[in-house]
């Protein structure tokens, strides 16, 4: 039972998923605070908040209403995504992949086993095409 649990936990996709969820949830609060404290004020330097409090470029709609494109919301989402992705990759995915490669090297596994046959190289394909054309020309 313990061995089966260990194999389940050490599967790469289970660990990667668990780490991504935990780190993503924890790191999102930090990134949102940075965006609110730094990015949003920088945008406010260039755009005056609208009457409803939204910040960003505005245009007048066809009915005379002011339409605001809320850039801080968009930038916050983009920055949060990339920041979380970078942290998860550098802190967990990259070390886990290195650990798996080292473990595979110790076990003597050089390449993952594949059921598919190896595809011919471009040069081998060209030689086969040449040979087929020569045979067709000989028959004609």
């Amino acid at each position: 039972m313990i061995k089966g649990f260990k194999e389940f936990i050490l599967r790469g996709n289970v660990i990667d998923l668990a780490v991504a969820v935990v780190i993503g949830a924890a790191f999102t609060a930090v990134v949102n605070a940075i965006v609110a404290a730094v990015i949003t004020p920088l945008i406010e330097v260039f755009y005056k908040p609208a009457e409803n409090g939204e910040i960003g470029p505005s245009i007048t709609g066809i009915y005379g209403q002011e339409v605001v494109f809320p850039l801080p919301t968009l930038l916050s989402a983009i920055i949060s995504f990339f920041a979380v992705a970078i942290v998860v990759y550098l802190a967990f995915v990259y070390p886990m992949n290195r650990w798996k490669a080292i473990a595979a090297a110790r076990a003597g596994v050089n390449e993952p086993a594949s059921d598919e046959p190896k595809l011919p190289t471009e040069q081998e394909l060209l030689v086969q095409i040449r040979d087929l054309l020569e045979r067709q020309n000989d028959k004609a």
Side-chain angles (χ1 to χ4, degrees):
M1 185 168 114
I2 301 269
K3 182 180 178 184
F5 180 73
K6 180 181 173 185
E7 289 174 4
F8 170 74
I9 291 298
L10 291 179
R11 279 190 203 150
N13 56 356
V14 173
I15 292 175
D16 293 344
L17 180 60
V19 165
V21 169
V22 171
I23 292 298
F27 196 64
T28 299
V30 173
V31 173
N32 287 338
I34 291 170
V35 170
V38 177
I39 303 297
T40 301
L42 286 174
I43 293 173
E44 287 179 5
V45 168
F46 299 103
Y47 297 103
K48 179 180 148 188
E51 293 174 4
N52 61 2
E54 289 185 334
I55 305 162
S58 62
I59 61 171
T60 303
I62 60 173
Y63 299 108
Q65 80 279 18
E66 182 180 22
V67 179
V68 178
F69 295 91
L71 289 181
T73 306
L74 175 64
L75 288 176
S76 175
I78 292 170
I79 291 170
S80 294
F81 172 77
F82 282 112
V84 170
I86 288 170
V87 167
V88 167
Y89 178 77
L90 293 177
F92 298 100
V93 175
Y94 181 74
M96 181 60 109
N97 289 342
R98 298 256 314 156
W99 178 76
K100 286 179 183 177
I102 291 170
R106 286 183 184 158
V109 178
N110 293 336
E111 293 181 345
S114 176
D115 294 338
E116 298 177 18
K118 183 181 174 191
L119 297 175
T121 64
E122 184 177 346
Q123 185 176 6
E124 291 170 340
L125 289 174
L126 289 172
V127 168
Q128 290 174 3
I129 292 170
R130 182 199 64 201
D131 293 343
L132 288 172
L133 289 173
E134 285 176 355
R135 280 189 238 139
Q136 285 180 350
N137 286 337
D138 290 342
K139 289 180 181 178

